[in-house]
Amino acid sequence: MKPTTDDILNLVKRQLGLREVRLYDDIAADLGAVSADIINIVAALEDLYGIVIGEEELPDIRTVEQLHSLVCERVETG
């Protein structure tokens, strides 16, 4: 199951308790997420899609769009 942008946006909204999240939002700067929030978002996505995102990749995830692209890539490669 390939994640849609809406799937990722909704998960980020839920995890951060926000009403609105846009694809180009910077997860830390615009949405106020701290390291633990990002780890929780990634863990939820890993569980939901049965993927693994390495800890070393976390600093490269800045925007919601980058997160969506990475998740899609992992889902496609299995």
Side-chain angles (χ1 to χ4, degrees), residues 15-55:
Q15 290 287 324
L16 297 177
L18 299 172
R19 294 179 133 220
E20 184 164 338
V21 173
R22 294 173 300 262
L23 274 179
Y24 53 85
D25 283 337
D26 184 293
I27 298 170
D30 296 330
L31 303 178
V34 295
S35 303
D37 295 323
I38 296 169
I39 290 168
N40 288 336
I41 290 167
V42 169
L45 290 166
E46 288 176 327
D47 289 344
L48 184 61
Y49 294 105
I51 59 172
V52 175
I53 296 173
E55 193 174 309

Side-chain angles (χ1 to χ4, degrees), residues 51-69:
I51 59 172
V52 175
I53 296 173
E55 193 174 309
E56 69 281 355
E57 296 175 277
L58 296 182
D60 296 330
I61 302 169
R62 301 207 31 103
T63 66
V64 177
E65 186 173 34
Q66 289 172 325
L67 179 61
H68 176 256
S69 294

Side-chain angles (χ1 to χ4, degrees), residues 7 10 13-15 19 43-44 59 77:
D7 294 336
N10 288 329
K13 277 194 261 189
R14 255 192 335 269
Q15 290 287 324
R19 294 179 133 220
T77 60

